[in-house]
Amino acid sequence: MGNFIPTAKTGTAIQAAIDEAYAAGGGRVVLEPGIYPSGTIYLKSNVELHIPAGSKIQGFDTPDKYDDISDPQLVNIAPEGSRKVLLAALHAENIAVTGQGEIDGQGPKFYDTNVPAGTVFAKPPHPRPRMVQFFDCRNVKLEDVSFTDSPGWTFYLLNCEDVHVHRIRVTGCQQMINNDGLDIISCKRVSVSDSFFRTGDDCLIVRAVRKFPDDHAVCEDVTITNCVLDSWCQGIRIGCPSDDTIRRCTFSNITFKGRGNGINIDNPVRYLSKKWNDTGFMDLRELVFTNFVIETDRFPVRIYAENGVKLKYIGNMTFSNFRIKSKQPILLQGNPETMIEKIRFSEITLETPGSQAVRSEYVRQLDLNQIELFSEGKEK
């Protein structure tokens, strides 16, 4: 499989090179140094898009320049009401985006940025494109590239398997909303390592989204390690109450510093799917978190099920070797219909202004071992 060079510095020329490589049975599309203005690009099976240092794909700054991604299986799936994408792949296998270059979404240009310093931009009325959306793809590699200022979610990986993410850098203006870093949705066998995420919204998201009321969705065997996170919202968000099964996920060697919660497993009534009249559905278990450094103005770990949300199961989680500085304690809040079960915390050092290290209600089998609390500089 050979190299294919776009004939011009445009997204249209990149697409032509991808199509040529695909028709040849596969190959490597290699960009030359320079800026490539672009609307939607479709990556296809057995094609690697290589963006070397000095090369940049720059998304157009108006939504009408992007395609609305269409697929019969995505009829109920359109986050933030948008189907627009800069880099898309559907039902593809053996695809890759590599190199030390950049994809720039020009996100702030989609907003009214005339707001006071330090406040978020108002959500615009027009649809904003996501930067990368891969649906039903197999053997995916994302390596070394910088992804800058996505107008919407930076990565939307849905129903993908065998995904390898390594040494990427995701940065977004933190005044933008809904500019998630990496959304891992109903995927299997995903590894993420040695990467940096700075976003206004959640950095890392793991969910199992049902496409239809009777659909079965599973997100499993996700491993995330050696990452640095900075968010105004959450460092790691896991699940929503209308999700299905999330299991066997491991997070290790993570540093989080930001305004938002460190780890947030949030199940409020407002997140229930109104079109399906859900009271709750999610089955969440077998999660391991180890070797974390968290500094936040909010909760370092928050597991929450609001009254009125009845989940199948939420529990069997281990948190070990955490070094925390936060304004709030660890929060474990179930409800009479949803008990949080089998939670273990060990080797936790927490510095907080309050007098509690862990606040819990409706929790069964909570194991606390070697918890050190430093309140206003005094060990408790």
Side-chain angles (χ1 to χ4, degrees), residues 100-377:
Q100 295 183 328
E102 179 183 4
I103 300 180
D104 177 13
Q106 300 200 83
K109 292 188 177 181
F110 288 80
Y111 294 81
D112 178 0
T113 60
N114 186 26
V115 299
T119 61
V120 298
F121 306 142
K123 183 182 290 190
H126 48 264
R128 291 161 292 138
R130 288 176 286 281
M131 185 169 282
V132 178
Q133 179 172 323
F134 292 167
F135 170 60
D136 189 35
C137 294
R138 307 290 181 271
N139 298 323
V140 176
K141 181 170 72 172
L142 302 162
E143 195 168 83
D144 292 322
V145 177
S146 292
F147 300 86
T148 307
D149 279 334
S150 176
W153 295 3
T154 309
F155 287 95
Y156 182 25
L157 306 181
L158 176 62
N159 287 87
C160 294
E161 296 184 7
D162 300 303
V163 179
H164 172 84
V165 181
H166 187 47
R167 292 193 308 263
I168 68 167
R169 184 176 180 87
V170 175
T171 56
C173 173
Q174 292 186 302
Q175 291 176 268
M176 293 192 294
I177 58 174
N178 311 122
N179 66 337
D180 297 7
L182 176 59
D183 284 80
I184 301 168
I185 313 294
S186 308
C187 294
K188 297 180 181 180
R189 298 180 301 279
V190 179
S191 65
V192 182
S193 66
D194 303 289
S195 297
F196 174 79
F197 298 84
R198 185 179 67 233
T199 59
D201 216 311
D202 308 332
C203 289
L204 299 171
I205 304 91
V206 178
R207 294 188 57 196
V209 176
R210 295 179 293 152
K211 296 187 286 292
F212 305 97
D214 57 352
D215 187 32
H216 182 47
V218 177
C219 194
E220 63 185 5
D221 301 323
V222 175
T223 300
I224 298 176
T225 188
N226 299 340
C227 291
V228 176
L229 316 178
D230 179 353
S231 170
W232 280 14
C233 197
Q234 338 286 340
I236 297 171
R237 176 186 286 276
I238 302 175
C240 281
S242 294
D243 287 359
D244 196 343
T245 301
I246 302 170
R247 62 193 176 201
R248 299 197 302 269
C249 300
T250 301
F251 305 81
S252 64
N253 303 334
I254 305 293
T255 296
F256 171 77
K257 183 176 181 180
R259 292 186 182 184
N261 299 304
I263 299 166
N264 196 26
I265 301 173
D266 188 22
N267 295 280
V269 170
R270 71 180 186 278
Y271 283 179
L272 292 172
S273 177
K274 297 178 178 58
K275 60 188 175 185
W276 296 336
N277 297 315
D278 275 342
T279 59
F281 200 88
M282 186 175 66
D283 185 328
L284 176 63
R285 64 181 70 220
E286 298 175 69
L287 306 184
V288 175
F289 305 84
T290 184
N291 298 340
F292 271 66
V293 176
I294 296 177
E295 185 172 339
T296 175
D297 292 339
R298 297 169 69 184
F299 294 98
V301 178
R302 181 175 181 267
I303 305 176
Y304 175 71
E306 187 177 8
N307 287 335
V309 174
K310 184 178 180 180
L311 304 178
K312 283 186 176 180
Y313 184 84
I314 181 168
N316 193 3
M317 305 179 201
T318 299
F319 302 80
S320 64
N321 194 16
F322 273 56
R323 300 295 177 266
I324 298 168
K325 183 176 182 181
S326 64
K327 296 290 181 64
Q328 300 290 341
I330 294 167
L331 176 67
L332 310 174
Q333 177 68 62
N335 66 53
E337 294 183 298
T338 301
M339 296 290 292
I340 299 171
E341 301 187 26
K342 296 182 180 179
I343 306 295
R344 177 179 173 81
F345 286 92
S346 64
E347 299 181 77
I348 309 295
T349 299
L350 174 62
E351 182 179 342
T352 181
S355 58
Q356 287 181 302
V358 180
R359 191 160 75 231
S360 65
E361 188 173 8
Y362 295 108
V363 179
R364 183 185 293 126
Q365 292 182 262
L366 173 60
D367 184 356
L368 303 176
N369 181 44
Q370 292 183 264
I371 310 296
E372 292 184 289
L373 172 63
F374 295 85
S375 179
E376 299 294 343

